[in-house]
């Protein structure tokens, strides 16, 4: 298993929609293990393949919510949600991203979500949750659609995020960080 570098906002691979997985083999299984290893090293809740520069439609999640530990993976996910709020989110409803390290912004998400897809063998899988798990499922499927959570921000939060991107000079491709190695990035 390998901890992989995580791409930082500004890299075009993060805004390129993922390609459906068509080959279910040992290499895919090893890649998913690398995603879990990277997620653990980064102390995150979810990680999509394109965040480590891989174009395949797969993500992993590992988090603790009110229902306990939720851990798994979904290949070729399709998302369904309850209503998504269109108004300014509660200022305490913060969301972060391993590809936007160290930053948190109020982000409106549906309270409930379900993702359907397949597992490593190509067998059907469905993951459903509310609250934190629902947020994670929406966040990771957004990644695979080529969308960062920053794209969902509204009003002053969107303006603040744009200023932050310019200030950090995250406008050039190829920037990344390695969990467990790059100081100050693990708190993302």
């Amino acid at each position: 298993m390998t901890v992989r570098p995580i791409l930082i906002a500004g890299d075009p691979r993060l805004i390129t929609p993922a390609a459906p997985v068509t080959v279910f083999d040992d290499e895919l299984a090893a890649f998913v293990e690398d995603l879990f290893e990277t997620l653990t090293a980064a102390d995150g809740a979810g990680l999509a393949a394109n965040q480590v520069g891989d174009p395949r439609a797969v993500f992993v999640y590992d988090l603790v919510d009110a229902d306990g530990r939720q851990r798994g993976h979904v290949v070729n996910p399709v998302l369904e949600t309850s209503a998504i709020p269109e108004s300014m989110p509660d200022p305490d409803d913060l969301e972060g991203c391993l590809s936007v390290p160290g930053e948190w912004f109020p982000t409106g998400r549906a309270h409930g979500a379900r993702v359907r897809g397949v597992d490593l063998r190509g067998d059907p899988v469905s993951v459903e949750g509310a609250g934190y798990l629902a947020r994670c499922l929406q966040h990771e499927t957004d990644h695979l659609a080529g969308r960062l959570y920053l794209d969902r921000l509204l009003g002053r939060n969107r303006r603040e995020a744009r200023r932050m991107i310019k200030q950090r000079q995250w406008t050039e491709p190829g920037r990344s960080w390695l969990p467990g190695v790059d100081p100050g990035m693990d708190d993302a």
Side-chain angles (χ1 to χ4, degrees):
M1 291 185 288
T2 304
V3 173
R4 296 180 180 228
I6 297 174
L7 299 177
I8 294 176
D11 192 295
R13 292 172 286 182
L14 291 171
I15 58 170
T16 302
V21 173
T22 58
V23 177
F24 298 85
D25 59 7
D26 290 344
E27 191 280 326
L28 177 63
F31 175 66
V32 168
E33 286 304 315
D34 286 355
L35 286 176
F36 275 119
E37 188 77 13
T38 304
L39 179 63
T40 299
D43 196 27
L47 186 65
N50 60 342
Q51 288 182 271
V52 297
D54 190 289
R56 291 177 283 188
V58 59
F59 73 83
V60 299
Y61 60 95
D62 190 353
L63 56 92
V64 176
D65 65 6
D67 294 325
R69 185 174 185 196
Q70 309 289 330
R71 186 176 195 273
H73 69 278
V74 182
V75 179
N76 299 333
V78 176
L79 176 70
E80 301 170 27
T81 68
S82 59
I84 299 173
E86 294 182 22
S87 59
M88 284 294 284
D90 183 306
D92 295 327
D93 198 11
L94 297 175
E95 188 166 323
C97 179
L98 296 173
S99 290
V100 186
E103 300 293 334
W104 298 83
F105 291 97
T107 309
R109 293 285 188 179
H111 180 71
R114 175 178 32 215
V115 170
R116 294 181 183 177
V118 295
D119 65 14
L120 293 174
R121 295 177 306 279
D123 296 329
V125 64
S126 179
V127 182
E128 187 169 356
Y132 190 31
L133 178 57
R135 177 178 295 277
C136 181
L137 296 174
Q138 292 168 82
H139 184 106
E140 300 312 323
T141 55
D142 268 359
H143 271 300
L144 297 177
R147 186 176 206 174
L148 291 173
Y149 88 104
L150 301 176
D151 299 327
R152 293 211 176 262
L153 300 179
L154 301 173
R156 67 182 172 273
N157 298 320
R158 180 181 281 273
R159 289 188 297 276
E160 185 180 334
R162 285 183 179 153
R163 280 192 297 273
M164 177 274 302
I165 293 285
K166 287 179 186 174
Q167 182 179 40
R168 289 191 173 214
Q169 299 177 348
W170 287 351
T171 54
E172 300 173 17
R175 294 182 187 261
S176 65
W177 68 282
L178 188 60
V181 175
D182 292 324
M185 299 298 253
D186 290 284
D187 61 353

